[in-house]
Amino acid sequence: MNYEEKLQNVSVLGAAGKMGSGILLLTAVEMADLQLKPENKAKSFVLNAIDVSPAALTGLYGYLKTQVKKIAEKKVVQLRSVYKNNSDLIENSEIIDQYVDDVLKLVLFSTRIESTYESTLIFEAIIEDSDIKVKIISQILDNNKKDPWFLTNTSSVPIDELDSRASLKGKILGFHFYNPPAVQKLVELITTKNTNKELIEFSKAYAKNLNKKLVPSNDFAGFIGNGHFMRDLLFGIKQVEELHKDLSFAESIYAVNRISQDFLIRPMGIFQLMDYVGVDVCQKILQVMSSRLNDKSLHSALIDKLMALGVKGGQNSDGSQKPGILLYEKGKPVAIYDPNKKDYDHIESFKSTLDAKLGKLPTSHKSWKDVVGNKKKEELLKTYFDELKPLNTMGAKLAKDYHHSSKNIGLTLVKDGIADNAENVNTVMLTGFFHAYGPINSFLD
Amino acid sequence: MTAGYNTISLGTGRKEFNPKKPRSGIEHYIKEAGQATVKSLGGAKNVDEGVIGNFMACRFVKQAHLGAFMPIIDDGLRHKPSLRVEGACASGGLALVSGIRSVLSESADVVLAMGVEVQNTVKAIYGADILAGAGWFKERKEGHAYFFPGQFSNRAGAYFEKYGRDKTRQAFAVWFKNAIENARLCPTAQEYENKVEDLIGLALTEPNPRGFTDHLNVFDCSKVSDGASAIAICSEEGLAKAGIPKSEAVEVIGWAQIVENITEKPSDLTKLTTIEAAAKKALELAKITINDLATIEVHDCFTVAGLLSVEALGFAKPGEGPDFVINGNTARNGKIPFNTTGGLIGWGHPTGGTGVHQAVTIWEQLTGKAGAAQINIPKDKPYGMTINMGGDDKTVVAIVYKKTS
């Protein structure tokens, strides 16, 4: 079966979710581009957007419309040639509107699993729970006579586990997008020795057409991305526990969040990232990793406590950040949740004293934003870390410890065979987490 | 002409500009520029009529009938003649010509001439649709998504083919560098705060045909701008009435306003023949040659248009424009300083306002009011010139100015 035929009837499960909506968008655009080729004019293309929540599907329609329009605006130069034979479409605005229509009319919104029964390709982006995934995949397999392929967006559950539990016989692989899928370049590709070869070929072609960077990861719970992120987060929590002996809880969180952002030149601090991903999602991923890897250290009492208190983080449908361990105003953290007080402490109340305690940033410091796209990035980073290295301020010490831990996590991922090499670990952190440099580096050796 | 005024050229590059926040409407610009000029003239009682050059307010801000906005400048303009004129990006030039005609016909002694455009109401990709109205609509379908950049990219491509690419692109880069460096001297310029160090390197960015045009990059293009400019066109009696000494004014000694057939494609893509004809006519009327000019403002909506103007005006032979530019002749300290406040690429291009902005710049230079952007006006070259172009060399307004003695 060729690439195009596989994409004629597709379903996305969990289509209104954070990841599902992005996957739906990219797939809808890819399918529309196929359909708009003159040779495919007579063929029908269907994309089922399936989610349990009717309200979320309504929101999804709005999201798709806005995003497809943005995509159309960016590629109008090509679209003018796609529509060159349509004499009614003259101005860019007319061409853009037509393209939005052509993409949206492929998408059928549904709350019913039955909609997947004609699909040849199914993206799974539902809750990070192996039992529920297996149940739904099995139900589809029982009713779908098209011998469908499954691409799962799981970020933690081993593919082999889903394959064997749902009796998929290799017709599933991990195709793990990063949040938000429409922006982040990375897709982790997880295959097993049983994975269908044609499915692997298809996935590579699909990733290429979506202009994604494909990094292979071996089939261990958490894969490379969460394999690093979760351990990095746990290290941050450990640092907080240490600091909390002398500082208040909020101060400790602030210090580690700032160290992991400013001192290490990352796009956001580790606790902001936890909120961004969702405290609930982090808890689920840790549970899966801990049980599958049989490693009790992959657990955080703090995360469990936050969840018990209903502090979940995550985003609103407009992309704004919900309150998590940090409270946000206009996207910036302004207060920190103290589980003992069950309330937020304002950062302003201790910021200047604590910043003084942490010590100044090295003079050559530049923000992540100024470094990440800079042509002289390597040079800037080298100068910065050379300056950080001999410093003995509290902030510099914490930063160096954090940096070494992050590097060790990366090296262990290679040693344990989760990543084939250091480059794959670094690529995941660069393209999936938008870091300015990979964790496996020699800046502070 | 006297009492010139420019608002800032607002758009990307200015720190005041935030595309997500509400901005001033077209009324604000008309008022700011108009009131400044009226004040210099001693009040609206001294103004006999008004004229507003504007290209596409009817689409950018959904507003036509701009002539009737004159009284918002000053209540004293109520029940006085006022009209709006349009000739695409030469609309500002047409406002000047309209004023010159009124004064020459002795139907007015003082004309308030203004040009205005507000373009940041839509994204550039939709702005391209609107600006494409300066071409023939029957050619829109076949044209580039960015219609005018596409037209001038074709001109650049033809020039590359005939005279070589590398040196020509180098000349585009020098043109860009001069524009930005001049704009940095003019506080109202859109690129006033540009801090890029390697302007040549930036300008030499390879064009990206998938996202933009084949032969031009975004640095080859003028800015998307909101802004207005105003100037007064007066008879000698008008100047006296306003109490303005002659030394504060420049004399219009030659002008031409001509058109080419908009439904025909250019006969030679490497030449701007309408500009050539208009300049010739204006210079003949002024009885001077290009060698008498101390400075000139040309319509560099694209670097290639600047380069082709150098040749159309006769500063360099066909194919020799790149050398002329690369050797520094058009720089502010060169043989003939071009676009001393940045031109359309550096100062900005509020399309309908540009023609008037050019006149204000020449007036400032010839009367010593250009501030940090002031160049030396040699005693034996007391002349300046403006070339304002509408569409792809279809409407041209050329004006020659003389410093008053």
Side-chain angles (χ1 to χ4, degrees):
Chain A
M1 183 170 270
N2 70 26
Y3 179 79
E4 204 172 276
E5 282 173 38
K6 268 290 171 193
L7 279 166
Q8 277 186 251
N9 192 313
V10 181
S11 291
V12 177
L13 302 169
K18 197 159 61 176
M19 301 303 288
S21 56
I23 296 169
L24 186 80
L25 168 68
L26 297 173
T27 308
V29 167
E30 170 67 359
M31 287 169 69
D33 288 347
L34 287 175
Q35 174 147 53
L36 285 167
K37 287 184 179 172
E39 64 268 27
N40 292 335
K41 221 173 171 182
K43 293 180 190 159
S44 89
F45 287 78
V46 173
L47 176 59
N48 299 295
I50 298 159
D51 203 276
V52 288
S53 159
L57 285 174
T58 309
L60 177 63
Y61 177 82
Y63 166 82
L64 268 188
K65 199 169 172 181
T66 312
Q67 296 302 318
V68 175
K69 189 165 184 183
K70 280 187 188 167
I71 291 171
E73 285 167 352
K74 276 192 193 145
K75 62 177 188 183
V76 70
V77 173
Q78 290 100 286
L79 291 180
R80 285 193 79 88
S81 91
V82 168
Y83 292 109
K84 65 175 187 290
N85 294 325
N86 187 334
S87 57
D88 291 339
L89 303 176
I90 297 169
E91 296 207 312
N92 294 334
S93 59
E94 293 164 334
I95 284 162
I96 289 164
D97 289 347
Q98 182 63 49
Y99 186 69
V100 173
D101 273 358
D102 284 341
V103 175
L104 286 179
K105 72 188 179 199
L106 298 178
V107 184
L108 302 178
F109 298 86
S110 168
T111 54
R112 302 180 68 83
I113 194 74
E114 288 84 344
S115 308
T116 64
Y117 294 172
E118 294 295 315
S119 289
T120 43
L121 188 72
I122 295 165
F123 285 92
E124 176 277 302
I126 62 171
I127 190 168
E128 204 61 353
D129 181 313
S130 179
D131 292 344
I132 299 177
K133 287 182 195 282
V134 169
K135 182 172 168 259
I136 290 184
I137 293 171
S138 302
Q139 187 187 334
I140 295 171
L141 276 185
D142 286 346
N143 294 284
N144 182 316
K145 303 299 167 215
K146 304 275 179 181
D147 198 20
W149 286 345
F150 288 82
L151 272 67
T152 171
N153 189 56
T154 182
S155 64
S156 60
V157 182
I159 305 308
D160 196 44
E161 174 179 327
L162 295 172
D163 194 347
S164 55
R165 287 185 69 194
S167 309
L168 277 158
K169 297 183 185 122
K171 286 177 183 160
I172 183 168
L173 54 70
F175 201 82
H176 180 213
F177 286 91
Y178 275 70
N179 185 21
V183 178
Q184 301 283 30
K185 275 265 181 209
L186 175 68
V187 169
E188 268 180 296
L189 180 72
I190 307 109
T191 57
T192 72
K193 59 181 187 314
N194 297 325
T195 310
N196 181 301
K197 297 290 174 281
E198 273 185 295
L199 169 54
I200 296 174
E201 287 316 304
F202 169 86
S203 302
K204 286 180 179 169
Y206 174 73
K208 188 168 177 259
N209 286 353
L210 264 53
N211 198 19
K212 294 293 178 197
K213 171 86 189 161
L214 213 51
V215 174
S217 166
N218 295 315
D219 193 23
F220 293 88
F223 316 121
I224 299 173
N226 281 331
H228 189 280
F229 168 42
M230 287 300 135
R231 291 175 177 95
D232 206 42
L233 172 62
L234 292 174
F235 181 80
I237 293 172
K238 209 168 85 188
Q239 268 195 341
V240 166
E241 285 161 1
E242 279 298 310
L243 288 174
H244 189 23
K245 290 173 185 165
D246 300 313
L247 301 173
S248 76
F249 179 78
E251 287 173 327
S252 311
I253 292 280
Y254 170 83
V256 176
N257 197 58
R258 174 146 189 257
I259 296 299
S260 52
Q261 177 169 15
D262 294 349
F263 281 75
L264 296 182
I265 315 184
R266 289 186 179 182
M268 55 174 83
I270 192 70
F271 293 107
Q272 188 175 353
L273 181 59
M274 175 177 81
D275 283 348
Y276 180 78
V277 171
V279 183
D280 50 349
V281 177
C282 290
Q283 187 190 39
K284 279 247 177 290
I285 293 170
L286 281 171
Q287 283 165 357
V288 171
M289 286 174 66
S290 175
S291 67
R292 305 313 191 274
L293 300 171
N294 202 14
D295 181 349
K296 288 203 173 65
S297 72
L298 291 166
H299 168 262
S300 160
L302 173 65
I303 288 179
D304 291 349
K305 200 189 258 181
L306 290 170
M307 282 301 291
L309 291 164
V311 178
K312 289 185 183 170
Q315 279 116 60
N316 295 305
S317 57
D318 66 353
S320 61
Q321 181 65 48
K322 289 181 189 170
I325 194 161
L326 305 170
L327 184 71
Y328 302 84
E329 263 175 30
K330 291 181 183 166
K332 293 210 171 103
V334 292
I336 291 164
Y337 190 81
D338 184 333
N340 293 320
K341 291 188 196 166
K342 297 190 177 60
D343 200 3
Y344 286 92
D345 281 346
H346 279 275
I347 291 173
E348 277 309 314
S349 65
F350 57 76
K351 186 177 186 295
S352 52
T353 334
L354 189 54
D355 281 345
K357 211 177 265 181
L358 290 172
K360 283 185 182 149
L361 285 161
T363 50
S364 61
H365 178 267
K366 283 198 163 33
S367 71
W368 168 81
K369 207 175 152 190
D370 289 338
V371 172
V372 71
N374 201 306
K375 280 180 196 156
K376 295 176 186 162
K377 188 172 83 171
E378 289 306 314
E379 203 178 304
L380 292 173
L381 288 167
K382 189 177 178 314
T383 312
Y384 172 75
F385 282 109
D386 281 349
E387 204 186 331
L388 181 76
K389 206 169 168 179
L391 288 186
N392 268 322
T393 60
M394 181 179 167
K397 282 189 205 159
L398 287 168
K400 285 184 274 184
D401 287 349
Y402 204 107
H403 186 88
H404 290 307
S405 159
S406 173
K407 179 173 177 178
N408 281 333
I409 294 167
L411 289 171
T412 308
L413 288 170
V414 179
K415 185 165 73 69
D416 291 351
I418 294 156
D420 290 339
N421 51 50
E423 194 194 338
N424 285 353
V425 175
N426 285 347
T427 306
V428 166
M429 300 316 286
L430 287 164
T431 55
F433 290 81
F434 244 125
H435 283 193
Y437 56 94
I440 304 179
N441 61 64
S442 54
F443 290 131
L444 288 180
D445 288 356
Chain B
M1 286 189 202
T2 189
Y5 183 87
N6 299 316
T7 68
I8 62 163
S9 177
L10 186 74
T12 51
R14 291 292 306 195
K15 67 175 184 302
E16 303 92 334
F17 181 70
N18 180 344
K20 286 178 186 152
K21 288 198 175 147
R23 282 176 302 278
S24 306
I26 196 165
E27 302 84 355
H28 161 84
Y29 291 98
I30 293 173
K31 242 175 152 165
E32 182 186 332
Q35 286 177 343
T37 294
V38 166
K39 192 175 167 207
S40 300
L41 292 169
K45 63 179 190 303
N46 294 329
V47 177
D48 298 319
E49 64 176 59
V51 52
I52 298 187
N54 172 266
F55 175 23
M56 274 287 188
C58 53
R59 286 194 73 188
F60 278 118
V61 296
K62 310 259 193 290
Q63 180 65 59
H65 203 171
L66 294 191
F69 280 84
M70 272 292 174
I72 70 169
I73 294 166
D74 190 302
D75 207 40
L77 296 174
R78 202 187 289 270
H79 293 180
K80 286 190 176 173
S82 170
L83 71 158
R84 173 252 184 154
V85 289
E86 190 273 311
C89 299
S91 299
L94 292 190
L96 299 174
V97 166
S98 169
I100 291 168
R101 284 199 178 109
S102 286
V103 170
L104 290 179
S105 70
E106 298 183 358
S107 66
D109 284 317
V110 177
V111 178
L112 172 58
M114 182 184 295
V116 65
E117 205 76 53
V118 166
Q119 302 182 286
N120 285 296
T121 49
V122 295
K123 288 185 184 175
I125 191 65
Y126 303 110
D129 280 338
I130 296 176
L131 297 172
W136 189 26
F137 191 67
K138 288 200 172 162
E139 289 176 349
R140 177 70 184 110
K141 176 70 182 170
E142 284 171 21
H144 195 277
Y146 292 92
F147 186 77
F148 269 94
Q151 301 287 99
F152 280 86
S153 166
N154 293 345
R155 283 187 177 274
Y159 198 93
F160 292 167
E161 199 162 298
K162 196 163 176 185
Y163 300 114
R165 183 177 193 269
D166 291 353
K167 189 187 272 184
T168 309
R169 277 222 61 87
Q170 188 66 31
F172 291 173
V174 172
W175 189 277
F176 172 75
K177 179 171 175 276
N178 291 344
I180 303 300
E181 286 178 350
N182 285 338
R184 285 170 179 166
L185 301 171
C186 178
T188 54
Q190 204 162 324
E191 294 287 1
Y192 178 57
E193 288 151 294
N194 183 313
K195 302 219 164 36
V196 175
E197 281 169 28
D198 183 14
L199 291 168
I200 294 285
L202 185 65
L204 288 174
T205 306
E206 268 305 302
N208 168 19
R210 276 184 68 79
F212 198 54
T213 69
D214 291 351
H215 305 296
L216 299 177
N217 62 39
V218 291
F219 308 105
D220 289 309
C221 303
S222 51
K223 313 291 294 182
V224 174
S225 317
D226 299 349
S229 296
I231 201 162
I233 299 158
C234 307
S235 63
E236 287 194 32
E237 292 76 13
L239 269 186
K241 186 166 74 171
I244 295 175
K246 280 188 187 171
S247 61
E248 299 276 298
V250 290
E251 191 182 346
V252 174
I253 57 165
W255 58 279
Q257 184 265 307
I258 62 171
V259 297
E260 174 56 278
N261 187 339
I262 195 171
T263 67
E264 287 175 8
K265 291 191 193 299
S267 52
D268 181 346
L269 286 172
T270 65
K271 285 188 174 143
L272 295 173
T273 49
T274 318
I275 284 184
E276 187 182 340
K280 187 165 175 271
K281 204 172 157 191
L283 287 164
E284 274 172 10
L285 193 60
K287 297 191 177 68
I288 64 163
T289 72
I290 51 168
N291 299 321
D292 299 311
L293 295 170
T295 179
I296 181 163
E297 291 290 304
V298 295
H299 196 96
D300 60 338
C301 44
F302 302 94
T303 49
V304 63
L307 180 77
L308 297 183
S309 297
V310 167
E311 294 182 1
L313 290 160
F315 287 103
K317 287 184 190 140
E320 293 177 5
D323 280 323
F324 190 80
V325 172
I326 291 168
N327 293 337
N329 293 305
T330 59
R332 59 186 304 100
N333 56 358
K335 190 173 163 192
I336 167 79
F338 273 63
N339 296 8
T340 56
T341 57
L344 285 62
I345 288 171
W347 189 83
H349 186 26
T351 44
T354 290
V356 182
H357 169 256
Q358 293 176 321
V360 173
T361 298
I362 293 294
W363 168 73
E364 286 172 344
Q365 290 292 5
L366 296 186
T367 56
K369 293 177 188 295
Q374 184 68 49
I375 55 159
N376 177 44
I377 306 294
K379 281 213 158 53
D380 59 337
K381 291 183 173 185
Y383 304 102
M385 186 173 188
T386 55
I387 302 287
N388 185 203
M389 171 171 72
D392 185 4
D393 200 32
K394 295 307 182 192
T395 288
V396 176
V397 177
I399 301 177
V400 183
Y401 311 75
K402 183 174 185 281
K403 189 179 161 93
T404 49
S405 42

